[in-house]
């Protein structure tokens, strides 16, 4: 038996072979390069062309950055330093213009002794927006979010502290009116009262109340006019204000366009189509020039406020269409399920429909916000000095006449940081909601 077995089995292994590493070409960086860069003839050709383009760009850009000059008082001095160090024909970036004028690019004509106020305002804004953006922060911090707009106004513009306090009191009055009317007259009457009563208060009582409190206790900061705003401070104020205000307005317009009420539907459609059908620059010129013709003589309507209103309305029209797309993407069963639970219209929208529609609409909403923030540079055409406008003013001076790329690199980098941050938060929020959905 054993002889037959020995003749039929040539080799019997009695020990295990040690684990061997995979071939170099099948793991790690080599595998990734083969699969992604040289997986075929066309991919290989495109890789070679791309590497050549990158080499050409880097070979020209690197010397310009490596020889950059940061300490000089003018473009002429920059060139003298370049000639003495790397030669007259060598490329060298004159970033000394950023060192010399960065305060102007960031703060515009804001009084230098009050630079701390925009900085503190930015910190307050970041602290106030954190409870809205991130879930782990205690909900009590939302009180800071509610108070932040009035604190930011007091910091940036200054003046008597009682003005923002009187305006904030109007929202408190509206909330009290809503809570009082809700059990007595129903939801619709409570909402109308919460809108009409504060409007009457702001029109007729807020100003005299603020003036009376100021005469009794003149507390506040030095007033800074809107014309002194500029640079990135101006872009951030306009952009952030329009973003925060346009989102709820855009949601209401989207709901109005989906509404079965004839008047509400047609007004929403007309507003959205008219606003979206005209370029933003035309609306900015309207805010700057034409709006004054429709105001009573002697009315002083701040230009920055007019721009914020127009940019908000423009952004809201686009947000409305993005949200409407999210509402249309929901299955009809979601609406029917909300009705089967006995929820009224606003309850179903708040608890079931809008959370899902906004989740679907996150990429489009953030994309609109990014475009809106970049479009704040258009205000240069109506006389407000954003970073682009200030770069033109800086280049008009005799010291820095001839500087171009250095200013635009700095401005582009600042806008990139802000827009990239919004994009990354959008990705974070999408992934977070996907995990929660699972």
């Amino acid at each position: 038996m054993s002889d037959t077995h020995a003749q039929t089995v040539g080799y019997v292994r009695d020990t295990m072979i040690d684990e061997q590493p995979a071939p170099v070409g099948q793991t790690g960086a080599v595998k990734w390069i083969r699969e992604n860069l040289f997986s075929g003839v066309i991919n290989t050709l495109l890789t070679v062309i791309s590497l050549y383009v990158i080499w050409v760009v880097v070979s020209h850009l690197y010397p310009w950055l490596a020889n950059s000059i940061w300490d000089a008082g003018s473009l002429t001095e920059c060139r003298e330093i370049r000639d003495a160090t790397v030669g007259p024909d060598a490329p060298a970036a004159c970033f000394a213009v950023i060192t010399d004028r960065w305060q102007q690019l960031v703060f515009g004509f804001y009084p230098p002794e009050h630079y701390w106020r925009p900085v503190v305002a930015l910190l307050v804004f970041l602290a106030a927006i954190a409870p809205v953006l991130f879930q782990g922060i205690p909900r009590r911090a939302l009180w800071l979010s509610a108070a932040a707009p009035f604190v930011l106004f007091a910091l940036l513009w200054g003046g008597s502290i009682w003005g923002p306090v009187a305006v904030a009191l109007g929202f408190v009055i509206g909330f009290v009116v809503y809570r009082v009317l809700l059990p007595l007259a129903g939801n619709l009457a409570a909402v109308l009262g919460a809108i009409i009563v504060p409007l009457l208060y702001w029109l007729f009582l807020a100003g005299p109340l603020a003036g009376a409190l100021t005469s009794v206790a003149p507390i506040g900061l030095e007033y800074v006019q809107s014309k002194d705003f500029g640079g990135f401070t101006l872009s951030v104020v306009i952009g952030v204000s329009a973003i925060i205000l346009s989102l709820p307005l855009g949601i209401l317009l989207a709901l109005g366009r989906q509404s079965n009420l004839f008047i509400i539907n047609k007004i929403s459609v007309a507003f959205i189509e008219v606003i979206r059908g005209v370029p933003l620059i035309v609306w900015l010129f309207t805010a700057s020039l034409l709006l004054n013709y429709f105001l009573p003589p002697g009315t002083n309507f701040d230009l920055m406020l007019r721009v914020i209103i127009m940019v908000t309305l423009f952004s809201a029209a686009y947000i409305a269409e993005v949200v409407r797309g999210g509402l249309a993407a929901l299955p009809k069963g979601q609406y029917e399920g909300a009705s089967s639970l006995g929820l009224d219209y606003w309850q179903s929208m708040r608890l079931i429909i809008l959370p899902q529609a906004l989740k679907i609409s996150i990429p489009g909403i953030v994309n609109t916000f990014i475009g809106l923030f970049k479009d704040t540079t258009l205000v240069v055409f109506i006389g407000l000095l954003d970073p682009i406008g200030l770069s033109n003013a800086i280049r008009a001076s005799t010291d820095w006449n001839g500087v171009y790329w250095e200013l635009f690199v700095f401005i582009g980098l600042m806008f990139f940081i802000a827009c990239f941050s919004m994009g990354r938060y959008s990705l974070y929020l999408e992934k977070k909601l996907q995990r929660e959905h699972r």
Side-chain angles (χ1 to χ4, degrees):
M1 186 71 176
S2 61
D3 293 340
T4 304
H5 181 73
Q7 292 174 0
T8 57
V9 179
Y11 172 74
V12 178
R13 183 175 64 191
D14 56 4
T15 59
M16 296 297 294
I17 299 176
D18 294 336
E19 184 179 350
Q20 301 294 320
V24 176
Q26 300 298 322
T27 60
V30 175
K31 179 183 179 182
W32 184 91
I33 290 173
R34 290 181 59 184
E35 292 182 350
N36 295 277
L37 301 181
F38 301 99
S39 59
V41 177
I42 295 179
N43 201 6
T44 301
L45 181 61
L46 292 176
T47 299
V48 172
I49 295 174
S50 300
L51 290 175
Y52 174 75
V53 172
I54 293 173
W55 178 81
V56 171
V57 172
V58 172
S59 64
H60 287 80
L61 190 61
Y62 176 76
W64 185 71
L65 294 173
N67 300 330
S68 58
I69 300 167
W70 292 87
D71 187 12
S74 64
L75 180 60
T76 302
E77 189 175 343
C78 264
R79 290 171 176 170
E80 293 174 353
I81 296 173
R82 179 202 62 184
D83 295 345
T85 54
V86 294
D89 296 327
C94 185
F95 285 116
V97 63
I98 306 300
T99 307
D100 185 52
R101 297 295 184 92
W102 70 268
Q103 299 96 333
Q104 191 174 359
L105 287 171
V106 173
F107 299 107
F109 301 105
Y110 208 87
E113 64 273 15
H114 296 297
Y115 280 167
W116 64 270
R117 286 162 57 176
V119 175
V120 173
L122 177 61
L123 297 177
V124 170
F125 169 74
L126 295 177
I129 202 69
V132 180
L133 300 181
F134 302 103
Q135 202 171 32
I137 300 176
R139 297 293 94 183
R140 294 189 302 272
L142 288 173
W143 287 105
L144 174 61
S145 303
F150 311 102
V151 176
L152 294 176
F153 182 88
L155 282 171
L156 291 172
W157 278 272
S160 173
I161 195 175
W162 300 115
V165 170
V167 173
L169 183 59
F171 291 96
V172 176
I173 293 174
F175 177 76
V176 172
V177 170
Y178 177 80
R179 296 302 295 269
V180 170
L181 292 180
L182 184 60
L184 298 177
N187 188 50
L188 181 59
V191 171
L192 292 176
I195 295 174
I196 296 174
V197 174
L199 287 176
L200 295 175
Y201 162 78
W202 286 324
L203 288 174
F204 300 105
L205 296 179
L209 177 61
L213 292 174
T214 302
S215 62
V216 174
I219 304 173
L221 298 171
E222 181 180 336
Y223 178 69
V224 177
Q225 297 183 10
S226 295
K227 66 182 181 63
D228 293 330
F229 283 69
F232 284 102
T233 300
L234 177 68
S235 295
V236 170
V237 170
I238 295 176
V240 169
S241 301
I243 286 172
I244 293 175
L245 295 173
S246 65
L247 180 58
L249 181 57
I251 294 173
L252 291 176
L253 287 171
L255 295 178
R257 186 159 189 168
Q258 297 284 91
S259 174
N260 294 325
L261 300 176
F262 181 81
I263 298 298
I264 299 297
N265 177 271
K266 297 309 176 185
I267 290 176
S268 300
V269 170
F271 177 88
I272 292 171
E273 296 303 330
V274 169
I275 293 294
R276 291 174 64 235
V278 179
L280 177 58
I281 186 64
V282 175
W283 291 119
L284 291 178
F285 277 116
T286 302
S288 175
L289 303 174
L290 300 180
L291 196 60
N292 285 333
Y293 292 106
F294 300 97
L295 296 175
T299 303
N300 184 17
F301 197 178
D302 188 82
L303 178 59
M304 186 186 296
L305 179 59
R306 283 180 271 163
V307 169
I308 291 174
I309 292 174
M310 281 298 180
V311 174
T312 298
L313 298 178
F314 186 83
S315 177
Y318 282 86
I319 293 293
E321 289 300 281
V322 173
V323 174
R324 188 171 70 91
L327 292 171
L330 289 182
K332 188 177 180 181
Q334 297 294 322
Y335 296 88
E336 296 173 348
S339 300
S340 68
L341 293 174
L343 302 178
D344 62 23
Y345 176 81
W346 291 110
Q347 288 175 330
S348 64
M349 286 295 164
R350 181 171 60 90
L351 299 175
I352 296 179
I353 304 302
L354 278 180
Q356 298 181 77
L358 292 178
K359 176 185 174 181
I360 298 172
S361 306
I362 286 174
I365 291 174
V366 175
N367 185 60
T368 302
F369 287 163
I370 291 175
L372 168 65
F373 185 71
K374 293 186 294 185
D375 285 344
T376 57
T377 55
L378 293 175
V379 300
V380 67
F381 294 107
I382 59 173
L384 295 178
L385 292 181
D386 72 313
I388 301 297
L390 284 173
S391 70
N392 296 332
I394 292 171
R395 289 188 290 106
S397 65
T398 55
D399 290 337
W400 301 110
N401 187 11
V403 171
Y404 291 97
W405 288 106
E406 292 84 352
L407 290 169
F408 294 134
V409 167
F410 178 76
I411 294 170
L413 180 61
M414 296 296 290
F415 274 102
F416 173 79
I417 292 173
C419 297
F420 181 76
S421 300
M422 287 189 277
R424 298 309 297 178
Y425 176 76
S426 171
L427 294 176
Y428 156 79
L429 189 59
E430 289 180 54
K431 294 178 180 178
K432 176 177 177 296
L433 294 175
Q434 288 176 357
R435 289 195 301 267
E436 292 179 354
H437 179 71
R438 292 174 186 172

